[in-house]
Structures are given as C-alpha cells and as structure tokens.
Amino acid sequence: MPNLPPKSGIRVPANELNHFVRELFRHAGMSEKDAGVMADLLVLTDLRGVHSHGAQAAAGYIEMMRDGRVNPRPNVRVVSSTTTTRTYDGDGGMGHLPSWQAAEWVAHTAAAHGVAAATTTNHFHFGGAGKYSRLALAHGCIGFATSSHRFYPKGHIGGAGGGSPFSFAVPAGERPPLVIDMAASFVPWEDDLIQRIPNSFFKEIGLAAVMYALGGVLCGIYRPDRIPPESPWESNQGGFFAAFDVTALGRGVDFTTEMDRYISECEGLDPFPGLDASHLPGGVEHELEQRYREEGIPVSDKYRQRLEKMGEEFGVEPLFSRHEHTRFG
C-alpha cells in the first residue's frame, strides 16, 4: 500500500512535532542525544509523506522499550573497520541510532575514497530507508540502504524475503534527486494475480531475497547471542548501507547535468491514467517536503490521539490542541 496523506486532521509545524516526540523518547528512558536523533529521523520521514514510518511510530517503539524488548540506552559502537567498510553494533536498541551513524560515515568515506559500505547489527527496526540513502546526496554520491528482520518463513515462497525495505538516492542538479524508497514486496499475493502476472511475483521474490541477504544474513541476525534467551533484547534486524561517488566513477561525465536532462524529459512524458503529472521516484516526496515545511505536517486524528495518550502518561506538555485552527478534511 502506498503512503497517502490523511484525509482529515490538523497540521503541526515540524519543529513542534520534533520537540514533542523528543520529549516522549526522553521520558521513556532514552538519553537526550538519542531522543533527539529519533525525533529528527521520524519527523524527517513525515516531511517526505512516509507517515507509516514517521512520528506515529514513536508510540509503538516506546511501548517496546517499556516492555523490555528494546534497549532504551544502547551503547552503539564500531566493532570492525577498514578504510572503506565498517560494522556497527546497536546493543539491542532502536535501529535508527546505528543506522544513522553508519549512513553518515558511508557518505563521508565514499566522498573521500570513491566507495564505502557498512553494516549494522544487534538492533530493532530502522524505520524508513530513504532517510539513510539521501545522506549521500549532499556529498555528491549515490546512496543505498536496506534492512531485514529475523523471521522463520512458512507457507508459500512469497515470504522468502520478508518484505525488506530498501532505498536508492541519486543526485541531480536543479531537478529533485531520484529517490526510490519502498519495501521489496509490492504485489498482493492473490492466486488469480499470480496466474495473470507471474513475472511480477518472480521479480519480487528475487529482489526481496537479495535485500534479505544484504540487510539480514550478512548482518548476523541469526547469531544466538542476538536471540532470546541469550540476548535480553529483541535484536532482530540488521542494515546495509553503501555510497558511490559519481565523480570518481563517472570520469568525464557531467553527471548531475545529465540527470537533470533525464528527469526533465521523463517529467514531459504522458502521465499514468488518472494522474495529472509525470514524476520519477522522489519527485512527489520532494514537493511534499517543501509544502509540509511551510504548512505543517498533516496529523490524522487517530495518530494524534495515540500520541496524546502517551504524552499524558509521561506528563509531556500537550501539543496538538493549539493547532485546531489548522484542521483540514
């Protein structure tokens, strides 16, 4: 299912939503620094319109910390390193924390050495993949991020990859960058569809399995010390991050100018039926981010109520009531 904006609710300025979410995580036991990172990343995801992995996810994450499944104060550390590769251990905490460090390091290192890659391990969910791949853009690099979780497949072959998320971000010049941010499962598993469009399912399985290998198996998600009872935490995910410097790899190519040309030509093509414009991946999200920074992030009533309830439990100052005048729908 695509991420769609809520049909009704209120609009909240990004900085205010950030502060509220940061306070929730801080009251749940996270350090000031880690709570800030979590809030930054969730709100950044909301600004791109990926609301399923934005601030509304905070309530579920905090519940898992309170249930003892996720470490609220992890000691994230580098456990192996070469000039262009690293592995980060997340110490049973949220995957956002080691993943952000890994993606930042990969971007800086690729800009200096041409290519770089890192894995993260021993952590929980890392959220939407796009916020990590996009870090490479500011360094003139192509970014890639994927993650997968430990699971034990049963039923048909469709579950082979677990729907692993992944993202590519490709820099451009004046046009919005090309950013694909999606799960590796994208076709409903229905018998009649499998009969009608089998190639779509075969491609989905192949893509998901590769992401599972990179973001899961390579990261050691089945190591006994990361599985209860040996591990006190539900450290069931890993991540893989890479970046490639377009200058180093595309000698003699004015890459961003050529990408602008390509993107502009694609935007001039006829749109899909029922749509009024043609966009490559990342174009719509770029427009949403600009609009949401000006107008505020749309917050559905359901999402608002869940966060407000958690805020009341922690004694965090109410946020949403003063934005009733921004109600839509």
Side-chain angles (χ1 to χ4, degrees):
M1 286 290 293
N3 265 282
L4 298 174
K7 295 181 178 179
S8 62
I10 58 174
R11 296 189 182 278
V12 179
N15 64 324
E16 294 192 31
L17 185 59
N18 186 303
H19 175 78
F20 181 77
V21 173
R22 182 169 69 251
E23 287 301 292
L24 289 182
F25 280 116
R26 192 174 66 80
H27 280 76
M30 297 189 83
S31 69
E32 185 79 32
K33 179 181 177 181
D34 287 351
V37 171
M38 289 298 299
D40 287 347
L41 297 183
L42 295 186
V43 172
L44 187 63
T45 303
D46 268 323
L47 283 167
R48 300 285 290 188
V50 188
H51 300 298
S52 60
H53 290 64
Q56 67 173 306
Y61 294 155
I62 289 170
E63 287 172 359
M64 287 183 287
M65 291 178 197
R66 294 197 300 188
D67 291 344
R69 297 164 60 192
V70 175
N71 185 359
R73 285 187 173 259
N75 176 29
V76 176
R77 58 197 176 93
V78 176
V79 293
S80 68
S81 184
T82 69
T83 302
T84 57
T85 64
R86 270 191 181 182
T87 294
Y88 289 79
D89 188 300
D91 193 26
M94 289 304 308
H96 301 65
L97 305 175
S99 297
W100 186 251
Q101 291 187 33
E104 281 196 315
W105 180 84
V106 159
H108 283 280
T109 304
H113 296 283
V115 296
T119 55
T120 59
T121 189
N122 192 21
H123 57 73
F124 192 65
H125 196 222
F126 87 157
K131 56 185 173 285
Y132 306 116
S133 66
R134 295 198 309 275
L135 276 173
L137 298 175
H139 299 272
C141 295
I142 296 170
F144 173 72
T146 188
S147 177
S148 207
H149 66 281
R150 182 173 63 246
F151 75 112
Y152 301 92
K154 57 184 178 180
H156 58 63
I157 187 64
S164 304
F166 70 96
S167 176
F168 284 97
V170 182
E174 300 299 322
R175 306 304 302 150
L178 172 63
V179 181
I180 184 168
D181 183 4
M182 58 180 282
S185 59
F186 45 87
V187 183
W189 281 87
E190 299 173 1
D191 289 344
D192 61 331
L193 283 176
I194 295 173
Q195 296 296 323
R196 286 164 43 205
I197 50 172
N199 286 348
S200 296
F201 293 92
F202 299 149
K203 291 177 181 180
E204 176 182 301
I205 292 168
L207 181 62
V210 170
M211 300 307 158
Y212 192 79
L214 290 175
V217 177
L218 183 63
C219 305
I221 57 174
Y222 288 98
R223 280 180 46 171
D225 60 334
R226 291 163 193 170
I227 303 174
E230 288 194 33
S231 170
W233 314 109
E234 192 171 311
S235 305
N236 65 353
Q237 297 202 15
F240 177 84
F241 309 85
F244 315 92
D245 181 17
V246 299
T247 302
L249 295 171
R251 297 294 183 187
V253 175
D254 188 347
F255 185 82
T256 57
T257 298
E258 288 299 302
M259 282 301 300
D260 278 353
R261 179 188 60 77
Y262 169 63
I263 293 169
S264 295
E265 289 177 350
C266 291
E267 289 175 338
L269 297 173
D270 293 336
F272 284 123
L275 299 179
D276 57 6
S278 295
H279 290 284
L280 288 179
V284 171
E285 293 84 352
H286 177 79
E287 292 181 357
L288 286 176
E289 183 172 1
Q290 291 180 312
R291 189 188 342 147
Y292 290 170
R293 287 193 184 278
E294 294 178 2
E295 301 177 357
I297 294 171
V299 178
S300 72
D301 291 328
K302 179 180 179 181
Y303 157 16
R304 166 187 174 173
Q305 289 166 7
R306 190 174 185 197
L307 289 177
E308 280 185 331
K309 181 180 179 181
M310 186 150 283
E312 290 173 2
E313 292 178 22
F314 287 136
V316 176
E317 182 183 359
L319 162 68
F320 301 107
S321 59
R322 63 176 175 263
H323 294 289
E324 280 292 342
H325 66 283
T326 65
R327 175 162 291 279
F328 62 92

